[in-house]
Amino acid sequence: MPSPKKAPERAPASPKKTSHADHINESYANLPTVSRRISLIILIGIIVGFIEYLITSMLSYFLSLRFEFVQQQVDSGQMQFLTMIYILPAMTLVSSVVAYLSPISAGSALPEIKGYLNGAHIPGIFGVTCLIVKAIGVTIAISCGFPVGREGPMVQVGCAVANQTMKIPFWRRALIKDTGDTGGRKEVEAEEIDKEKTLLLTIGGAAGIAAAFRSPIGGVLYMMEDMASYWNHETTVRAFGCTMTATLVYSLLLDASHNKNYEALILFEDIDHADWLTADIIWFMILAVFAGTLSVCYSELLFKFQHLRKTRTRFRSPMEKTIEVTICSFVICMIPLYIGYLFSCNVLPEDAVANNSFGGLSRFDCEEGSYNDMASLWLMGEEGAIKELYSRLDSKTNLFSVGTLASFIAIFLLLAGFTGGLAMPFGTFVPNLFMGAAFGRMFALIVQEPDWMGIKGLSSPGTYALIGAGAMLGGYTRMTITVVIMIAEASGDISIVMPLMVAVQIARWVANFLTDPYDQKMMELRRIPFLHDTVDKSRRDQTAGDVMIPTQPLNRRECLKKLRTIIEQDNLMRSAFPIIDNDGYLLGLVHGLVLESVLVQGFQDDEDDDDMLPMEPMADPSPFTVFNTFPLSKLFPLFRKLQVEHVVVLSNKGRPVGYIPRTALVDHDGGEVETNHHKAMSHLDMTGTARNIRRQSTGSNAIPVAPGSPTAKAGFESGELYDDHLDASANLRRLTDWLSPRSKSKDYVERDSSASQTSQTPTRDTAVSLHDLADHHAEESALVVKRVKNVRDSFNGFQL
């Protein structure tokens, strides 16, 4: 057996001088992919935790300024119109920036994020402008007294941080390497990168909500249960590390600040353990029913104003949106400043604080040693007021009266719902917790106070406030385990888990019975495409053949003129074209946008339209396939869980008859749907693929045959492997002679045997002779030769 020839050794190249910076870049480039991935996750967590700290710092300063300024005006007997000096200009600035520069920053953007992670493309949602406007805008809105929260917007901030961080070249290269071997196909590589990007955005959102609540496990569960459409074990591990980093950085920065005002901006800090009893369970269940109903009232009111401003004022100019926010700021922010005058003063408990400093109960118009309970609820900050409602100290049992809590809930509910649709960033998590805590405490006072029902032997009102907050948030978001773990983790009270689970589940049942989830209705209102994981009841009996788009498969080689006609169709964004072999079986799938990119970037308009182009270099060689009888109910999990964009539909004989795009199963209100995959495909650089296709094409664009080459010696000077003047058998023998010119030599059998024994791939010299096939199967040869007509003379492009 002849030994294989060794490649000649090259002379060692002269050493190249490199700078110190080149050595550093080379060492970074050689870092393992896992190390880059870990460093990227840690960096995202650090940035998100730092941004949350900056937001908390600004809130502490602005809320302290408002609290002290209002108290000074009340003490001096002046009217609070002077507060408009900073409230109205600040909100006018925020609304003008949102309306003119970043409309996507308005609201919480949770429905948009949910749609984006599901596959819908929403431009600008994670841009730098949106990140800055969101963080600063929600800070100013809360400081001015709007009944909104910052926890929801932090999800978008976290996603934006992840999106911008992964654009850094160092981690961008690691992102490409993470996609694995794509066979050099850019379209496959772009699809894998898009999946990796979605995973990192999910991790960033988890870090944002985790830092806001100081709940790392709750942040992971929130994205898993409510936001993400695609989740696996690796996502869990990465998200856990990122949320841990973000929460740790935020906590360390707060501890290093040594500022007590931060305590009024952090939920669940230093709360006593719950003291619930078995007798409380029935009352917890009744409270959950009311809390679920209250959450529906809030979501419906919020949606009504969203719908009103969306449908009846759709074509308003940015200036009109800015004026609307300015007017609403005057109404919403003035009510908390004057509502306290309508309520009486109460004697201050021994362990409570009421002075001119932010973070305690508000003295407002009361004398020293007293406090105004209504003014305290509005001026001490939402998080600070929630902690007072959670208090289980006996001295604070009657801290807020039933009448005050009832009035506060009614006013807060109307104002919070009225903010829906305004051109400003806002969140809805804290308003739900605030109203739920106030309602839970009021419910406990009604049940336990002797002047009302007078039932004894129950837990403190603070425990009912905690249960009411969790039940209302669960009814609003329709989440279960996330709400329970988030509250239990952030409060450090594991004993509250069991009653909280009961209350959250009942509130969720009540809310589902009364209305659809708020996020789902907002996605329908804003026409955000969304692919559900289950099929509608009306379509359960349908199959893949009922929803597929019939298409004419393309051969291995197609005429340039035909391909140019194909890309002129209107629905090219969702189109895909199966590639078939000689027998009609599937070889691959070409995306319509990939085909367009190859033709636009590689072929000029004045080139010969009769050129034959190979299709396989631009095709996905392993598309998902189903038979036309495949149930539609099983297609939804396939598209959603595996992030599939196209599925080829096969007949009962295994031949492609059509395809199903992802957009065919997506709920949307007409029109063309652009997905993240479409966006990635439209920006592909296919010049290299187009150049490869030109090499393998035949016709005027084919690379000329070099004189004296094996192709020229075989008589294929024009690049043609098919002669119309010869019969099929002769053409096949002619092709065989070119592939294996020595196949009929005496040592052919010995070489062929040696090749099989050494498991080497047959080369031109060891190709199997096809002469017998040409001689004895002329009819079959004719079919084969017709398929290989106009094959390029490049041997590398010929698949033996």
Side-chain angles (χ1 to χ4, degrees):
M1 181 177 61
S3 59
K5 296 181 179 180
K6 296 183 179 180
E9 298 182 357
R10 296 183 179 180
S14 58
K16 182 180 178 180
K17 295 182 179 180
T18 57
S19 62
H20 180 67
D22 293 333
H23 284 294
I24 296 178
N25 294 331
E26 184 178 357
S27 61
Y28 277 129
N30 293 330
L31 280 177
T33 302
V34 177
S35 301
R36 297 193 185 194
R37 182 190 307 167
I38 295 175
S39 61
L40 175 59
I41 292 173
I42 294 176
L43 179 62
I44 294 174
I46 292 175
I47 296 176
V48 171
F50 183 72
I51 292 177
E52 174 63 16
Y53 170 74
L54 292 180
I55 293 176
T56 304
S57 300
M58 290 189 294
L59 280 176
S60 175
Y61 175 77
F62 290 130
L63 288 176
S64 299
L65 180 65
R66 186 179 70 131
F67 187 94
E68 297 171 2
F69 188 54
V70 170
Q71 189 64 55
Q72 291 174 5
Q73 291 187 73
V74 173
D75 293 339
S76 61
Q78 299 177 1
M79 299 296 292
Q80 277 84 11
F81 281 110
L82 294 178
T83 57
M84 297 297 104
I85 294 177
Y86 75 89
I87 289 180
L88 293 184
M91 291 309 303
T92 301
L93 176 63
V94 170
S95 60
S96 61
V97 172
V98 171
Y100 283 96
L101 299 181
S102 183
I104 195 64
S105 300
S108 65
L110 293 182
E112 286 81 0
I113 297 174
K114 196 171 184 179
Y116 191 98
L117 296 179
N118 187 262
H121 179 68
I122 303 176
I125 188 173
F126 301 132
V128 177
T129 303
C130 181
L131 171 62
I132 298 175
V133 173
K134 197 77 171 185
I136 299 178
V138 73
T139 303
I140 296 178
I142 297 174
S143 303
C144 292
F146 272 84
V148 298
R150 72 180 190 274
E151 282 73 12
M154 278 303 299
V155 178
Q156 186 176 10
V157 170
C159 292
V161 169
N163 182 59
Q164 298 303 318
T165 305
M166 72 179 71
K167 292 181 180 180
I168 301 176
F170 175 73
W171 285 286
R172 179 69 176 177
R173 289 192 296 268
L175 193 67
I176 296 176
K177 290 183 179 180
D178 277 350
T179 60
D181 184 14
T182 59
R185 290 179 166 84
K186 288 185 174 294
E187 64 275 13
V188 180
E189 179 181 287
E191 183 175 350
E192 295 299 324
I193 291 177
D194 180 66
K195 293 180 181 180
E196 186 73 14
K197 178 181 178 181
T198 303
L199 186 147
L200 290 175
L201 292 176
T202 304
I203 294 174
I209 196 70
F213 279 99
R214 301 181 77 180
S215 174
I217 300 178
V220 176
L221 293 177
Y222 172 73
M223 297 301 293
M224 180 191 300
E225 185 177 0
D226 188 59
M227 300 298 292
S229 298
Y230 173 75
W231 196 276
N232 56 18
H233 176 70
E234 185 178 4
T235 308
T236 305
V237 176
R238 294 196 200 179
F240 182 79
C242 192
T243 56
M244 175 194 66
T245 303
T247 307
L248 180 62
V249 170
Y250 179 52
S251 300
L252 292 177
L253 291 174
L254 287 181
D255 294 340
S257 300
H258 301 293
N259 191 332
K260 66 177 182 179
N261 287 342
Y262 288 141
E263 298 178 359
L265 300 173
I266 302 171
L267 290 172
F268 314 114
E269 186 75 12
D270 297 330
I271 298 179
D272 301 328
H273 289 286
D275 53 352
W276 68 277
L277 304 172
T278 305
D280 293 313
I281 293 296
I282 184 64
W283 297 108
F284 287 158
M285 297 172 68
I286 298 175
L287 171 61
V289 174
F290 287 108
T293 305
L294 183 61
S295 68
V296 171
C297 295
Y298 174 55
S299 63
E300 285 296 308
L301 187 63
L302 192 64
F303 177 74
K304 292 298 182 182
F305 280 103
Q306 292 267 14
H307 185 271
L308 178 65
R309 293 187 171 103
K310 176 70 175 180
T311 56
R312 299 191 178 182
T313 57
R314 182 181 305 173
F315 302 103
R316 288 183 308 159
S317 64
M319 178 60 69
E320 293 172 334
K321 292 182 180 180
T322 303
I323 295 175
E324 181 187 22
V325 173
T326 304
I327 297 175
C328 293
S329 301
F330 179 82
V331 176
I332 294 176
C333 299
M334 285 298 294
I335 290 179
L337 301 179
Y338 284 94
I339 194 66
Y341 286 111
L342 303 178
F343 292 82
S344 60
C345 299
N346 301 317
V347 178
L348 189 67
E350 296 180 358
D351 52 356
V353 178
N355 49 34
N356 297 336
S357 299
F358 173 66
L361 297 172
S362 175
R363 184 170 57 83
F364 203 62
D365 60 340
C366 303
E367 298 178 355
E368 294 292 340
S370 301
Y371 73 99
N372 189 304
D373 53 356
M374 177 60 77
S376 298
L377 290 173
W378 286 104
L379 296 177
M380 66 188 307
E382 293 177 338
E383 285 85 352
I386 290 175
K387 290 202 297 183
E388 292 294 342
L389 292 171
Y390 288 161
S391 176
R392 305 181 184 105
L393 299 177
D394 295 336
S395 60
K396 294 186 178 182
T397 300
N398 297 316
L399 195 62
F400 304 99
S401 64
V402 174
T404 300
L405 293 174
S407 302
F408 170 78
I409 293 172
I411 298 174
F412 192 92
L413 177 64
L414 293 176
L415 296 182
F418 186 68
T419 59
L422 292 177
M424 51 172 279
F426 63 87
T428 57
F429 278 23
V430 170
N432 274 281
L433 293 172
F434 202 178
M435 287 186 287
F439 187 85
R441 193 174 188 91
M442 182 188 70
F443 179 83
L445 293 176
I446 293 175
V447 173
Q448 299 178 23
E449 283 296 309
D451 297 338
W452 298 86
M453 298 179 64
I455 298 177
K456 300 180 180 180
L458 299 179
S459 299
S460 66
T463 303
Y464 280 80
L466 188 62
I467 297 296
M472 185 161 180
L473 183 60
Y476 177 82
T477 61
R478 311 301 165 87
M479 295 185 300
T480 54
I481 186 173
T482 300
V483 175
V484 174
I485 297 300
M486 190 176 292
I487 293 180
E489 182 185 15
S491 63
D493 189 359
I494 195 67
S495 62
I496 201 67
V497 168
M498 181 55 67
L500 194 60
M501 291 175 63
V502 175
V504 169
Q505 185 63 66
I506 293 177
R508 184 178 183 274
W509 285 340
V510 172
N512 282 332
F513 177 77
L514 295 177
T515 185
D516 294 328
Y518 171 76
D519 286 347
Q520 178 180 337
K521 293 189 295 185
M522 285 303 303
M523 295 179 70
E524 295 174 355
L525 176 64
R526 297 177 181 177
R527 300 180 180 180
I528 301 174
F530 190 80
L531 177 64
H532 297 278
D533 53 357
T534 57
V535 65
D536 296 336
K537 295 181 179 179
S538 58
R539 306 176 66 184
R540 287 182 178 177
D541 296 333
Q542 293 183 354
T543 62
D546 298 327
V547 298
M548 75 172 187
I549 299 177
T551 184
Q552 182 66 31
L554 301 178
N555 297 317
R556 280 182 169 177
R557 288 182 175 270
E558 289 291 349
C559 180
L560 179 59
K561 181 179 181 181
K562 178 181 178 180
L563 298 179
R564 284 175 172 169
T565 304
I566 290 176
I567 66 173
E568 294 176 358
Q569 55 187 332
D570 297 333
N571 60 343
L572 189 63
M573 185 181 296
R574 63 185 297 182
S575 298
F577 307 97
I579 308 299
I580 58 175
D581 60 6
N582 302 337
D583 298 323
Y585 293 105
L586 184 67
L587 292 176
L589 186 71
V590 177
H591 195 288
L593 294 176
V594 173
L595 177 61
E596 180 185 31
S597 299
V598 170
L599 297 184
V600 171
Q601 300 175 19
F603 296 87
Q604 303 296 329
D605 295 336
D606 56 351
E607 295 185 4
D608 189 0
D609 289 341
D610 295 330
D611 294 346
M612 303 297 294
L613 307 185
M615 303 302 298
E616 290 182 83
M618 68 180 85
D620 179 3
S622 56
F624 287 88
T625 59
V626 296
F627 285 98
N628 53 4
T629 57
F630 193 78
L632 186 62
S633 59
K634 295 182 179 180
L635 269 179
F636 277 80
L638 176 65
F639 276 95
R640 182 182 170 98
K641 302 300 182 182
L642 300 182
Q643 296 180 292
V644 179
E645 292 296 330
H646 293 91
V647 167
V648 180
V649 181
L650 306 178
S651 65
N652 55 357
K653 295 183 179 180
R655 291 179 172 84
V657 293
Y659 69 97
I660 301 176
R662 182 185 182 92
T663 54
L665 307 181
V666 171
D667 287 345
H668 60 93
D669 189 14
E672 193 67 39
V673 178
E674 184 180 11
T675 65
N676 296 326
H677 182 265
H678 294 158
K679 188 68 175 180
M681 292 294 105
S682 61
H683 288 80
L684 284 179
D685 181 10
M686 301 297 293
T687 54
T689 303
R691 190 181 303 110
N692 184 31
I693 292 175
R694 287 177 63 90
R695 292 195 189 99
Q696 302 180 41
S697 64
T698 58
S700 59
N701 291 320
I703 300 177
V705 178
S709 63
T711 303
K713 294 179 180 179
F716 305 119
E717 288 80 1
S718 62
E720 298 285 344
L721 296 184
Y722 183 83
D723 191 345
D724 292 326
H725 300 288
L726 302 177
D727 58 10
S729 299
N731 271 302
L732 190 56
R733 291 175 61 87
R734 193 162 173 258
L735 175 63
T736 305
D737 291 337
W738 175 69
L739 289 177
S740 52
R742 293 181 298 276
S743 61
K744 293 182 292 183
S745 60
K746 293 181 180 181
D747 58 341
Y748 165 74
V749 178
E750 297 178 0
R751 290 198 306 272
D752 184 60
S753 176
S754 301
S756 61
Q757 292 176 3
T758 57
S759 300
Q760 295 178 352
T761 304
T763 61
R764 173 187 284 185
D765 294 338
T766 61
V768 179
S769 176
L770 301 178
H771 286 80
D772 292 339
L773 174 64
D775 291 336
H776 300 94
H777 302 281
E779 183 176 356
E780 291 81 352
S781 301
L783 297 176
V784 175
V785 172
K786 287 182 179 180
R787 295 294 185 183
V788 299
K789 180 181 179 181
N790 293 327
V791 175
R792 177 72 180 91
D793 65 323
S794 174
F795 181 73
N796 293 330
F798 184 82
Q799 301 294 329
L800 183 61

